[in-house]
Coordinates of all heavy atoms in Angstrom, one line a residue:
L1 N 146.0 -10.6 16.0 CA 145.3 -9.4 15.4 C 144.0 -9.8 14.7 O 144.0 -10.6 13.9 CB 146.2 -8.7 14.4 CG 146.0 -7.2 14.3 CD1 146.6 -6.5 15.5 CD2 146.7 -6.7 13.0
N2 N 142.9 -9.2 15.2 CA 141.6 -9.6 14.7 C 141.0 -8.5 13.8 O 140.7 -7.4 14.4 CB 140.7 -9.9 15.8 CG 139.8 -11.1 15.5 OD1 139.8 -11.6 14.3 ND2 139.1 -11.7 16.5
V3 N 141.0 -8.7 12.5 CA 140.5 -7.7 11.6 C 139.0 -8.0 11.4 O 138.6 -9.1 11.0 CB 141.2 -7.7 10.3 CG1 140.6 -6.7 9.3 CG2 142.7 -7.5 10.5
P4 N 138.1 -7.0 11.7 CA 136.7 -7.3 11.5 C 136.3 -7.5 10.0 O 136.9 -6.9 9.1 CB 136.0 -6.0 12.0 CG 137.1 -5.0 12.0 CD 138.4 -5.6 12.1
K5 N 135.4 -8.4 9.9 CA 134.8 -8.7 8.5 C 133.6 -7.8 8.3 O 132.7 -7.8 9.1 CB 134.4 -10.2 8.4 CG 135.4 -11.1 7.9 CD 134.8 -12.4 7.6 CE 135.9 -13.5 7.6 NZ 135.3 -14.8 7.6
R6 N 133.6 -7.1 7.2 CA 132.5 -6.2 6.9 C 131.8 -6.8 5.7 O 132.4 -7.2 4.7 CB 133.1 -4.8 6.5 CG 133.9 -4.2 7.6 CD 133.1 -3.7 8.7 NE 132.1 -2.7 8.3 CZ 132.3 -1.4 8.3 NH1 133.5 -0.9 8.7 NH2 131.4 -0.6 7.8
F7 N 130.4 -6.7 5.8 CA 129.6 -7.2 4.7 C 129.7 -6.2 3.5 O 129.7 -5.0 3.7 CB 128.1 -7.2 5.1 CG 127.2 -7.5 4.0 CD1 127.2 -8.7 3.3 CD2 126.3 -6.5 3.6 CE1 126.3 -8.9 2.3 CE2 125.4 -6.7 2.5 CZ 125.4 -7.9 1.9
L8 N 129.9 -6.7 2.3 CA 130.0 -5.9 1.1 C 128.7 -5.9 0.3 O 128.0 -4.9 0.2 CB 131.2 -6.4 0.2 CG 132.6 -6.3 0.8 CD1 133.6 -7.0 -0.1 CD2 133.0 -4.9 1.2
C9 N 128.4 -7.0 -0.2 CA 127.2 -7.1 -1.1 C 127.0 -8.6 -1.4 O 127.9 -9.4 -1.2 CB 127.3 -6.3 -2.3 SG 128.5 -6.8 -3.5
P10 N 125.8 -9.0 -2.0 CA 125.6 -10.3 -2.5 C 126.6 -10.5 -3.7 O 126.8 -9.6 -4.5 CB 124.2 -10.3 -3.0 CG 123.5 -9.2 -2.3 CD 124.6 -8.2 -2.1
S11 N 127.2 -11.7 -3.7 CA 128.1 -12.0 -4.8 C 127.5 -11.9 -6.2 O 128.2 -11.6 -7.1 CB 128.8 -13.4 -4.6 OG 127.8 -14.4 -4.6
A12 N 126.2 -12.1 -6.2 CA 125.5 -12.1 -7.5 C 125.5 -10.7 -8.1 O 125.3 -10.5 -9.4 CB 124.1 -12.6 -7.4
H13 N 125.8 -9.7 -7.3 CA 125.9 -8.3 -7.8 C 127.2 -8.0 -8.6 O 127.3 -7.0 -9.3 CB 125.8 -7.3 -6.7 CG 124.4 -7.2 -6.1 ND1 124.0 -6.2 -5.2 CD2 123.3 -8.0 -6.3 CE1 122.8 -6.4 -4.8 NE2 122.3 -7.4 -5.5
V14 N 128.2 -8.9 -8.4 CA 129.5 -8.6 -9.0 C 129.7 -9.7 -10.1 O 130.2 -10.7 -9.9 CB 130.6 -8.7 -8.0 CG1 131.9 -8.2 -8.6 CG2 130.2 -7.9 -6.7
V15 N 129.2 -9.4 -11.3 CA 129.3 -10.3 -12.4 C 130.8 -10.3 -12.9 O 131.5 -9.2 -12.7 CB 128.3 -10.1 -13.5 CG1 126.9 -10.3 -13.0 CG2 128.5 -8.7 -14.1
P16 N 131.2 -11.4 -13.6 CA 132.6 -11.4 -14.0 C 133.0 -10.2 -14.9 O 132.2 -9.8 -15.7 CB 132.7 -12.7 -14.8 CG 131.7 -13.6 -14.1 CD 130.6 -12.6 -13.8
E17 N 134.2 -9.8 -14.7 CA 134.8 -8.7 -15.6 C 134.1 -7.3 -15.3 O 134.2 -6.5 -16.2 CB 134.8 -9.0 -17.1 CG 135.1 -10.5 -17.4 CD 136.3 -11.1 -16.6 OE1 137.3 -10.4 -16.3 OE2 136.2 -12.3 -16.3
T18 N 133.5 -7.2 -14.2 CA 133.0 -5.9 -13.8 C 133.5 -5.4 -12.5 O 134.2 -6.2 -11.8 CB 131.4 -5.9 -13.8 OG1 131.0 -6.7 -12.7 CG2 130.8 -6.3 -15.1
V19 N 133.2 -4.2 -12.1 CA 133.6 -3.7 -10.8 C 132.4 -3.0 -10.2 O 131.7 -2.3 -10.9 CB 134.9 -2.8 -11.0 CG1 134.7 -1.7 -12.0 CG2 135.2 -2.1 -9.6
V20 N 132.3 -3.2 -8.9 CA 131.1 -2.7 -8.2 C 131.6 -1.9 -7.0 O 132.6 -2.3 -6.3 CB 130.2 -3.9 -7.7 CG1 129.2 -3.4 -6.6 CG2 129.5 -4.5 -8.8
R21 N 131.0 -0.8 -6.7 CA 131.4 0.1 -5.6 C 130.5 -0.1 -4.4 O 129.3 -0.1 -4.6 CB 131.4 1.5 -6.1 CG 131.6 2.5 -4.9 CD 131.4 3.9 -5.4 NE 131.6 4.9 -4.4 CZ 131.8 6.2 -4.5 NH1 131.9 6.6 -5.8 NH2 131.9 7.0 -3.5
V22 N 131.1 -0.3 -3.3 CA 130.3 -0.3 -2.0 C 131.0 0.7 -1.0 O 132.2 0.6 -0.8 CB 130.3 -1.7 -1.4 CG1 129.7 -1.7 0.0 CG2 129.5 -2.7 -2.3
D23 N 130.2 1.6 -0.5 CA 130.7 2.6 0.5 C 130.4 2.0 1.9 O 129.2 1.9 2.3 CB 130.0 3.9 0.3 CG 130.3 4.5 -1.1 OD1 131.4 4.3 -1.6 OD2 129.5 5.2 -1.7
L24 N 131.4 1.7 2.6 CA 131.2 1.2 3.9 C 130.9 2.3 4.9 O 131.6 3.4 4.8 CB 132.5 0.4 4.4 CG 132.8 -0.9 3.7 CD1 134.1 -1.5 4.2 CD2 131.6 -1.9 3.8
Q25 N 130.0 2.1 5.8 CA 129.7 3.1 6.8 C 130.9 3.2 7.7 O 131.5 2.1 8.1 CB 128.5 2.6 7.6 CG 127.7 3.8 8.1 CD 126.5 3.3 9.0 OE1 126.2 2.1 9.0 NE2 125.9 4.3 9.7
D26 N 131.4 4.4 8.0 CA 132.5 4.6 8.8 C 133.8 3.9 8.3 O 134.6 3.4 9.1 CB 132.3 4.1 10.3 CG 131.1 4.8 10.9 OD1 131.0 6.0 10.7 OD2 130.4 4.1 11.6
G27 N 133.9 3.7 7.0 CA 135.0 3.1 6.4 C 135.2 3.6 5.0 O 134.5 4.5 4.5
P28 N 136.2 2.9 4.3 CA 136.5 3.4 2.9 C 135.4 2.9 1.9 O 134.6 2.1 2.2 CB 137.8 2.7 2.7 CG 137.8 1.5 3.5 CD 137.0 1.8 4.8
S29 N 135.5 3.5 0.8 CA 134.7 3.1 -0.4 C 135.5 2.0 -1.0 O 136.7 2.1 -1.3 CB 134.5 4.3 -1.3 OG 133.9 3.9 -2.5
I30 N 134.9 0.9 -1.3 CA 135.6 -0.4 -1.7 C 135.1 -0.7 -3.2 O 134.0 -0.5 -3.5 CB 135.2 -1.6 -0.8 CG1 135.4 -1.3 0.6 CG2 135.9 -2.8 -1.3 CD1 136.9 -1.4 1.0
A31 N 136.1 -1.1 -4.0 CA 135.8 -1.6 -5.3 C 135.9 -3.1 -5.3 O 136.9 -3.6 -4.8 CB 136.8 -1.0 -6.3
I32 N 134.9 -3.8 -5.8 CA 134.8 -5.3 -5.7 C 134.9 -5.8 -7.1 O 134.1 -5.3 -8.0 CB 133.6 -5.7 -5.0 CG1 133.5 -5.0 -3.7 CG2 133.6 -7.2 -4.7 CD1 132.0 -4.9 -3.2
Y33 N 135.6 -6.8 -7.3 CA 135.9 -7.4 -8.7 C 135.6 -8.9 -8.6 O 135.8 -9.6 -7.6 CB 137.3 -7.2 -9.1 CG 137.8 -5.8 -8.9 CD1 138.4 -5.5 -7.7 CD2 137.9 -4.9 -9.9 CE1 138.9 -4.2 -7.4 CE2 138.4 -3.6 -9.7 CZ 138.9 -3.3 -8.5 OH 139.4 -2.0 -8.2
N34 N 135.2 -9.4 -9.8 CA 135.1 -10.9 -10.0 C 135.9 -11.3 -11.1 O 135.6 -11.0 -12.3 CB 133.6 -11.2 -10.2 CG 133.3 -12.6 -10.5 OD1 134.2 -13.4 -10.8 ND2 132.0 -13.0 -10.5
L35 N 137.0 -12.0 -10.8 CA 137.9 -12.5 -11.9 C 137.7 -14.0 -12.0 O 138.2 -14.7 -11.1 CB 139.4 -12.2 -11.6 CG 139.7 -10.7 -11.4 CD1 141.2 -10.5 -11.1 CD2 139.3 -9.9 -12.6
D36 N 137.0 -14.5 -13.0 CA 136.8 -15.9 -13.2 C 136.2 -16.6 -11.9 O 136.6 -17.7 -11.6 CB 138.1 -16.6 -13.5 CG 138.5 -16.4 -15.0 OD1 137.6 -16.2 -15.8 OD2 139.7 -16.5 -15.3
G37 N 135.3 -15.9 -11.3 CA 134.7 -16.5 -10.1 C 135.4 -16.3 -8.8 O 134.9 -16.7 -7.7
S38 N 136.6 -15.6 -8.8 CA 137.3 -15.3 -7.6 C 137.0 -13.8 -7.3 O 137.2 -13.0 -8.3 CB 138.8 -15.6 -7.7 OG 139.0 -16.9 -7.9
Y39 N 136.8 -13.5 -6.1 CA 136.4 -12.1 -5.7 C 137.6 -11.4 -5.1 O 138.3 -11.9 -4.3 CB 135.2 -12.1 -4.8 CG 134.0 -12.6 -5.5 CD1 133.7 -14.0 -5.4 CD2 133.2 -11.8 -6.3 CE1 132.6 -14.5 -6.0 CE2 132.1 -12.4 -6.9 CZ 131.8 -13.7 -6.8 OH 130.7 -14.2 -7.4
F40 N 137.7 -10.1 -5.5 CA 138.8 -9.3 -5.0 C 138.3 -7.9 -4.6 O 137.3 -7.5 -5.1 CB 139.9 -9.1 -6.0 CG 140.6 -10.4 -6.4 CD1 140.1 -11.2 -7.4 CD2 141.7 -10.8 -5.7 CE1 140.7 -12.4 -7.7 CE2 142.3 -12.0 -6.0 CZ 141.8 -12.8 -7.0
A41 N 138.9 -7.3 -3.6 CA 138.5 -5.9 -3.2 C 139.7 -5.0 -3.0 O 140.7 -5.4 -2.5 CB 137.7 -6.0 -1.9
T42 N 139.6 -3.8 -3.5 CA 140.6 -2.8 -3.3 C 139.9 -1.5 -2.9 O 138.7 -1.4 -2.9 CB 141.3 -2.5 -4.7 OG1 140.4 -1.8 -5.6 CG2 141.8 -3.7 -5.3
D43 N 140.7 -0.5 -2.5 CA 140.1 0.8 -2.3 C 139.5 1.3 -3.6 O 140.1 1.0 -4.7 CB 141.2 1.8 -1.9 CG 141.4 1.8 -0.4 OD1 140.5 1.4 0.4 OD2 142.5 2.3 0.1
N44 N 138.4 2.0 -3.5 CA 137.8 2.5 -4.8 C 138.4 3.7 -5.2 O 138.4 4.1 -6.4 CB 136.3 2.7 -4.5 CG 135.6 3.2 -5.7 OD1 135.6 2.6 -6.8 ND2 135.0 4.4 -5.6
L45 N 139.1 4.5 -4.3 CA 139.7 5.7 -4.7 C 141.1 5.5 -5.3 O 141.9 4.8 -4.7 CB 139.8 6.6 -3.4 CG 140.4 8.0 -3.6 CD1 139.4 8.9 -4.4 CD2 140.7 8.6 -2.2
C46 N 141.3 6.0 -6.5 CA 142.6 5.9 -7.2 C 143.6 6.6 -6.3 O 143.4 7.6 -5.6 CB 142.5 6.6 -8.5 SG 144.0 6.5 -9.5
T47 N 144.8 6.1 -6.3 CA 145.9 6.7 -5.5 C 146.5 7.9 -6.2 O 147.4 8.5 -5.7 CB 147.0 5.6 -5.2 OG1 147.6 5.2 -6.5 CG2 146.5 4.5 -4.4
H48 N 146.1 8.1 -7.5 CA 146.7 9.3 -8.2 C 145.8 10.5 -8.1 O 146.3 11.6 -8.3 CB 146.9 8.9 -9.7 CG 147.4 10.0 -10.5 ND1 146.6 10.7 -11.4 CD2 148.7 10.5 -10.6 CE1 147.4 11.6 -12.0 NE2 148.6 11.5 -11.5
G49 N 144.5 10.3 -7.9 CA 143.6 11.5 -7.8 C 142.3 11.1 -7.3 O 142.1 10.0 -6.8
D50 N 141.3 12.0 -7.4 CA 140.0 11.8 -6.8 C 139.1 11.1 -7.8 O 138.0 11.6 -8.1 CB 139.5 13.2 -6.5 CG 138.3 13.1 -5.5 OD1 138.1 12.0 -4.9 OD2 137.5 14.0 -5.5
A51 N 139.5 9.9 -8.2 CA 138.7 9.1 -9.2 C 138.2 7.9 -8.5 O 138.8 7.2 -7.7 CB 139.5 8.8 -10.4
S52 N 136.9 7.5 -8.9 CA 136.3 6.3 -8.5 C 136.7 5.2 -9.5 O 136.3 5.2 -10.6 CB 134.8 6.5 -8.4 OG 134.2 5.2 -8.3
L53 N 137.4 4.2 -9.0 CA 137.8 3.1 -9.9 C 136.7 2.3 -10.4 O 136.7 1.6 -11.4 CB 138.9 2.2 -9.2 CG 140.2 2.9 -8.9 CD1 141.1 2.0 -8.1 CD2 140.9 3.4 -10.2
A54 N 135.5 2.3 -9.6 CA 134.4 1.6 -10.1 C 133.8 2.2 -11.4 O 133.0 1.5 -12.0 CB 133.3 1.6 -9.0
E55 N 134.2 3.4 -11.7 CA 133.8 4.0 -13.0 C 134.8 3.6 -14.1 O 134.7 4.1 -15.2 CB 133.8 5.5 -12.9 CG 133.1 6.1 -11.7 CD 131.6 5.7 -11.7 OE1 131.0 5.8 -12.8 OE2 131.1 5.4 -10.6
G56 N 135.9 2.8 -13.7 CA 136.9 2.5 -14.7 C 136.6 1.2 -15.5 O 135.4 0.8 -15.5
V57 N 137.6 0.7 -16.1 CA 137.4 -0.4 -17.0 C 138.3 -1.6 -16.5 O 139.5 -1.5 -16.2 CB 137.9 -0.1 -18.4 CG1 137.8 -1.3 -19.3 CG2 137.0 1.1 -18.9
V58 N 137.6 -2.8 -16.4 CA 138.3 -4.0 -16.0 C 138.8 -4.7 -17.3 O 138.1 -4.9 -18.2 CB 137.4 -5.0 -15.3 CG1 138.2 -6.3 -15.0 CG2 136.9 -4.4 -14.0
D59 N 140.1 -5.0 -17.3 CA 140.7 -5.6 -18.5 C 141.6 -6.7 -18.0 O 142.7 -6.5 -17.5 CB 141.5 -4.6 -19.3 CG 142.1 -5.3 -20.6 OD1 141.7 -6.4 -20.9 OD2 143.1 -4.6 -21.2
G60 N 141.1 -8.0 -18.0 CA 141.9 -9.1 -17.4 C 142.0 -8.8 -15.9 O 141.0 -8.6 -15.3
D61 N 143.2 -8.9 -15.4 CA 143.5 -8.7 -14.0 C 143.7 -7.2 -13.7 O 144.2 -6.9 -12.6 CB 144.7 -9.5 -13.6 CG 144.4 -11.0 -13.6 OD1 143.3 -11.4 -13.9 OD2 145.4 -11.7 -13.3
T62 N 143.4 -6.3 -14.6 CA 143.8 -4.9 -14.5 C 142.5 -4.0 -14.4 O 141.6 -4.3 -15.1 CB 144.6 -4.5 -15.7 OG1 145.8 -5.2 -15.7 CG2 144.9 -3.0 -15.7
I63 N 142.6 -3.0 -13.5 CA 141.6 -2.0 -13.5 C 142.3 -0.7 -14.0 O 143.4 -0.3 -13.6 CB 141.0 -1.8 -12.1 CG1 140.0 -0.6 -12.1 CG2 142.1 -1.5 -11.0 CD1 138.7 -0.9 -12.8
M64 N 141.6 -0.1 -15.0 CA 142.1 1.2 -15.5 C 141.3 2.3 -15.0 O 140.0 2.3 -15.1 CB 142.0 1.2 -17.1 CG 142.5 2.5 -17.6 SD 142.3 2.5 -19.4 CE 143.7 1.5 -20.0
C65 N 142.0 3.3 -14.4 CA 141.3 4.5 -13.8 C 140.6 5.3 -14.9 O 141.2 5.5 -16.0 CB 142.3 5.3 -13.1 SG 141.7 6.8 -12.4
P66 N 139.4 5.8 -14.7 CA 138.7 6.6 -15.7 C 139.3 8.0 -15.9 O 139.0 8.6 -16.9 CB 137.3 6.7 -15.1 CG 137.5 6.6 -13.6 CD 138.6 5.6 -13.4
F67 N 140.1 8.5 -15.0 CA 140.6 9.9 -15.1 C 141.8 10.0 -16.1 O 141.7 10.7 -17.1 CB 141.0 10.5 -13.7 CG 139.8 11.1 -13.0 CD1 138.5 10.8 -13.4 CD2 140.0 12.0 -12.0 CE1 137.4 11.3 -12.7 CE2 138.9 12.5 -11.3 CZ 137.6 12.2 -11.7
H68 N 142.9 9.3 -15.8 CA 144.1 9.5 -16.6 C 144.6 8.2 -17.1 O 145.7 8.1 -17.6 CB 145.2 10.2 -15.7 CG 144.8 11.4 -15.0 ND1 144.6 11.4 -13.6 CD2 144.4 12.6 -15.4 CE1 144.1 12.6 -13.2 NE2 144.0 13.3 -14.3
G69 N 143.8 7.1 -17.0 CA 144.2 5.9 -17.6 C 145.3 5.1 -16.9 O 145.8 4.1 -17.5
G70 N 145.6 5.5 -15.7 CA 146.5 4.7 -14.9 C 145.9 3.3 -14.6 O 144.7 3.1 -14.6
T71 N 146.8 2.3 -14.3 CA 146.3 1.0 -14.1 C 146.9 0.4 -12.8 O 148.0 0.7 -12.4 CB 146.7 0.1 -15.3 OG1 148.1 0.1 -15.5 CG2 145.9 0.5 -16.6
F72 N 146.1 -0.6 -12.3 CA 146.5 -1.3 -11.1 C 146.2 -2.8 -11.3 O 145.2 -3.2 -12.0 CB 145.7 -0.9 -9.9 CG 145.9 0.5 -9.5 CD1 145.0 1.5 -10.0 CD2 146.9 1.0 -8.7 CE1 145.1 2.8 -9.7 CE2 147.0 2.3 -8.3 CZ 146.1 3.2 -8.8
D73 N 147.0 -3.7 -10.7 CA 146.7 -5.1 -10.7 C 145.6 -5.3 -9.6 O 145.8 -5.0 -8.4 CB 148.0 -5.8 -10.3 CG 147.8 -7.3 -10.3 OD1 146.8 -7.9 -9.8 OD2 148.7 -8.0 -10.9
I74 N 144.5 -5.9 -10.0 CA 143.4 -6.1 -9.1 C 143.7 -7.0 -8.0 O 143.3 -6.9 -6.9 CB 142.2 -6.6 -10.0 CG1 141.6 -5.5 -10.9 CG2 141.1 -7.1 -9.0 CD1 140.7 -6.0 -11.9
R75 N 144.6 -8.0 -8.3 CA 144.8 -9.1 -7.3 C 145.8 -8.6 -6.2 O 145.7 -8.9 -5.1 CB 145.5 -10.3 -8.0 CG 144.5 -11.0 -8.9 CD 145.2 -12.0 -9.7 NE 144.4 -12.6 -10.8 CZ 143.6 -13.7 -10.6 NH1 143.6 -14.3 -9.5 NH2 142.8 -14.1 -11.6
T76 N 146.7 -7.7 -6.6 CA 147.8 -7.3 -5.6 C 147.7 -5.8 -5.3 O 148.3 -5.4 -4.3 CB 149.2 -7.5 -6.2 OG1 149.3 -6.7 -7.4 CG2 149.3 -9.0 -6.6
G77 N 147.0 -5.0 -6.1 CA 146.9 -3.6 -5.8 C 148.1 -2.8 -6.4 O 148.1 -1.6 -6.4
E78 N 149.1 -3.6 -7.0 CA 150.3 -2.9 -7.5 C 149.9 -1.9 -8.6 O 149.1 -2.2 -9.5 CB 151.2 -4.0 -8.1 CG 152.5 -3.5 -8.6 CD 153.3 -4.6 -9.4 OE1 152.9 -5.8 -9.3 OE2 154.3 -4.3 -10.0
A79 N 150.6 -0.8 -8.6 CA 150.4 0.2 -9.7 C 151.2 -0.3 -10.9 O 152.4 -0.5 -10.8 CB 150.9 1.6 -9.3
T80 N 150.5 -0.6 -12.0 CA 151.1 -1.2 -13.2 C 151.3 -0.3 -14.4 O 151.9 -0.6 -15.4 CB 150.4 -2.5 -13.6 OG1 149.0 -2.1 -13.8 CG2 150.5 -3.5 -12.5
G81 N 150.6 0.9 -14.3 CA 150.7 1.8 -15.5 C 150.6 3.2 -15.1 O 149.9 3.6 -14.2
P82 N 151.4 4.1 -15.8 CA 151.4 5.5 -15.4 C 150.1 6.2 -15.7 O 149.3 5.8 -16.6 CB 152.5 6.1 -16.3 CG 152.6 5.2 -17.5 CD 152.2 3.8 -16.9
P83 N 149.8 7.2 -14.9 CA 150.6 7.9 -14.0 C 150.6 7.4 -12.6 O 151.1 8.0 -11.6 CB 150.1 9.4 -14.0 CG 148.6 9.1 -14.2 CD 148.5 8.0 -15.1
C84 N 150.0 6.2 -12.4 CA 149.9 5.7 -11.0 C 151.2 5.1 -10.5 O 151.9 4.3 -11.3 CB 148.8 4.6 -11.0 SG 147.2 5.2 -11.4
I85 N 151.6 5.4 -9.3 CA 152.8 4.9 -8.7 C 152.5 4.2 -7.4 O 153.1 3.1 -7.1 CB 153.8 6.1 -8.5 CG1 154.2 6.7 -9.8 CG2 155.1 5.6 -7.7 CD1 154.9 8.1 -9.7
V86 N 151.7 4.8 -6.6 CA 151.4 4.3 -5.3 C 150.4 3.1 -5.4 O 149.4 3.2 -6.1 CB 150.8 5.4 -4.4 CG1 150.4 4.8 -3.0 CG2 151.7 6.6 -4.3
P87 N 150.7 2.0 -4.8 CA 149.7 0.8 -4.9 C 148.4 1.1 -4.2 O 148.3 1.9 -3.3 CB 150.5 -0.3 -4.2 CG 151.5 0.3 -3.4 CD 151.9 1.6 -4.0
L88 N 147.4 0.4 -4.7 CA 146.1 0.4 -4.0 C 146.1 -0.5 -2.8 O 146.7 -1.6 -2.9 CB 145.0 -0.2 -5.0 CG 144.4 0.7 -6.1 CD1 143.4 -0.2 -6.8 CD2 143.7 1.9 -5.5
R89 N 145.3 -0.1 -1.9 CA 145.1 -1.0 -0.7 C 144.2 -2.2 -1.2 O 143.2 -1.9 -1.9 CB 144.5 -0.2 0.4 CG 144.5 -1.0 1.7 CD 144.5 0.0 2.8 NE 144.5 -0.9 4.0 CZ 144.3 -0.4 5.2 NH1 144.0 0.8 5.4 NH2 144.3 -1.3 6.2
T90 N 144.5 -3.4 -0.8 CA 143.6 -4.5 -1.1 C 143.1 -5.1 0.2 O 143.7 -4.9 1.3 CB 144.4 -5.6 -1.9 OG1 145.5 -6.1 -1.1 CG2 144.9 -5.1 -3.2
Y91 N 142.0 -5.8 0.1 CA 141.3 -6.4 1.3 C 141.0 -7.9 0.9 O 140.4 -8.1 -0.1 CB 140.0 -5.6 1.6 CG 140.3 -4.2 1.8 CD1 140.1 -3.3 0.7 CD2 140.6 -3.7 3.0 CE1 140.3 -1.9 0.9 CE2 140.9 -2.3 3.2 CZ 140.7 -1.4 2.2 OH 140.9 -0.1 2.4
P92 N 141.3 -8.8 1.9 CA 140.9 -10.2 1.6 C 139.4 -10.3 1.6 O 138.7 -9.7 2.5 CB 141.5 -10.9 2.8 CG 142.5 -10.0 3.4 CD 142.1 -8.6 3.1
V93 N 138.9 -11.0 0.6 CA 137.4 -11.2 0.5 C 137.1 -12.7 0.8 O 137.8 -13.6 0.4 CB 137.0 -10.9 -1.0 CG1 135.5 -11.1 -1.2 CG2 137.3 -9.4 -1.2
T94 N 136.0 -12.8 1.5 CA 135.4 -14.2 1.7 C 134.0 -14.2 1.2 O 133.3 -13.2 1.3 CB 135.5 -14.6 3.2 OG1 134.9 -13.6 4.0 CG2 136.9 -14.9 3.6
L95 N 133.6 -15.4 0.8 CA 132.3 -15.7 0.3 C 131.6 -16.6 1.2 O 132.1 -17.8 1.4 CB 132.4 -16.2 -1.2 CG 131.1 -16.7 -1.8 CD1 130.1 -15.5 -2.0 CD2 131.4 -17.3 -3.2
E96 N 130.5 -16.2 1.8 CA 129.7 -17.1 2.7 C 128.2 -17.0 2.3 O 127.6 -15.9 2.4 CB 129.9 -16.6 4.2 CG 131.3 -16.8 4.7 CD 131.5 -16.1 6.0 OE1 130.6 -15.9 6.7 OE2 132.7 -15.8 6.3
D97 N 127.7 -18.1 2.0 CA 126.2 -18.2 1.6 C 125.8 -17.2 0.6 O 124.8 -16.5 0.8 CB 125.4 -18.1 2.9 CG 125.6 -19.2 3.9 OD1 125.9 -20.3 3.4 OD2 125.5 -19.0 5.1
G98 N 126.7 -17.0 -0.4 CA 126.3 -16.0 -1.4 C 126.6 -14.6 -1.1 O 126.2 -13.7 -1.8
Q99 N 127.2 -14.3 0.1 CA 127.4 -12.9 0.5 C 128.9 -12.7 0.6 O 129.7 -13.6 1.0 CB 126.8 -12.7 1.9 CG 125.4 -13.2 2.1 CD 124.4 -12.4 1.4 OE1 124.4 -11.1 1.6 NE2 123.6 -13.0 0.6
L100 N 129.3 -11.5 0.1 CA 130.8 -11.2 0.2 C 131.1 -10.3 1.4 O 130.4 -9.4 1.7 CB 131.1 -10.4 -1.1 CG 131.0 -11.2 -2.4 CD1 131.3 -10.2 -3.6 CD2 132.0 -12.3 -2.5
F101 N 132.2 -10.7 2.0 CA 132.7 -10.0 3.1 C 134.2 -9.6 2.9 O 134.9 -10.3 2.2 CB 132.7 -10.8 4.4 CG 131.3 -11.2 4.8 CD1 130.6 -12.3 4.2 CD2 130.6 -10.4 5.7 CE1 129.3 -12.6 4.6 CE2 129.3 -10.8 6.1 CZ 128.7 -11.9 5.5
A102 N 134.6 -8.5 3.4 CA 136.0 -8.1 3.3 C 136.6 -7.8 4.7 O 135.8 -7.3 5.6 CB 136.2 -6.9 2.4
E103 N 137.8 -8.1 4.9 CA 138.5 -7.8 6.2 C 139.0 -6.3 6.0 O 140.0 -6.1 5.3 CB 139.6 -8.7 6.4 CG 139.2 -10.1 6.7 CD 140.3 -11.1 6.9 OE1 141.4 -10.7 7.3 OE2 140.1 -12.3 6.6
V104 N 138.3 -5.4 6.7 CA 138.6 -4.0 6.6 C 138.9 -3.5 8.0 O 138.0 -3.6 8.9 CB 137.5 -3.2 5.9 CG1 137.9 -1.7 5.8 CG2 137.2 -3.8 4.6
E105 N 140.0 -2.9 8.2 CA 140.3 -2.4 9.6 C 139.6 -1.0 9.8 O 139.5 -0.3 8.8 CB 141.8 -2.2 9.7 CG 142.5 -3.5 9.9 CD 144.0 -3.4 10.1 OE1 144.4 -2.8 11.2 OE2 144.8 -3.8 9.3
Ligands
FES1 S1 143.2 9.9 -10.9 FE1 143.5 7.8 -11.4 S2 145.1 7.9 -12.9 FE2 144.8 9.9 -12.3

């Protein structure tokens, strides 16, 4: 199974402990994180409602939704705090020559 790699943004745009939103053409809106120099990507849309997680707050390995304060594990997408129950979709990220790519179907 070959999942296409999609360009996200230069890695320099994602400074540690922040979250950056990239809207893929013909694809989902992605939230990109930098945890201690490792990059992670999840769906940007909260699984609880119509909220952009890139407007939320990064706290350690957790992203907190700006709408109702639900939380997810950035590394696994697991819903870790109410009212969120459904996990976030996550995407493997690779770094090549300072550019971030994600495997997005
Ligand atoms: S929309 Fe994200 S916690 Fe409700």
Side-chain angles (χ1 to χ4, degrees):
L1 208 75
N2 221 347
V3 180
K5 266 191 202 167
R6 303 283 303 267
F7 172 67
L8 298 174
C9 66
S11 60
H13 288 189
V14 191
V15 297
E17 321 317 324
T18 63
V19 50
V20 168
R21 171 183 179 164
V22 169
D23 296 327
L24 293 178
Q25 210 183 351
D26 302 321
S29 174
I30 306 281
I32 310 155
Y33 316 82
N34 176 346
L35 302 181
D36 280 336
S38 298
Y39 296 92
F40 297 88
T42 71
D43 272 339
N44 181 57
L45 184 66
C46 184
T47 60
H48 179 253
D50 193 21
S52 165
L53 293 174
E55 313 295 320
V57 175
V58 176
D59 181 15
D61 292 356
T62 295
I63 177 71
M64 180 186 282
C65 178
F67 273 20
H68 312 107
T71 56
F72 299 92
D73 185 312
I74 290 167
R75 295 169 188 270
T76 65
E78 184 191 348
T80 53
C84 301
I85 297 165
V86 179
L88 277 180
R89 192 156 180 191
T90 61
Y91 304 93
V93 176
T94 51
L95 175 61
E96 291 169 26
D97 296 330
Q99 314 286 308
L100 293 174
F101 297 83
E103 293 175 28
V104 181
E105 289 183 61

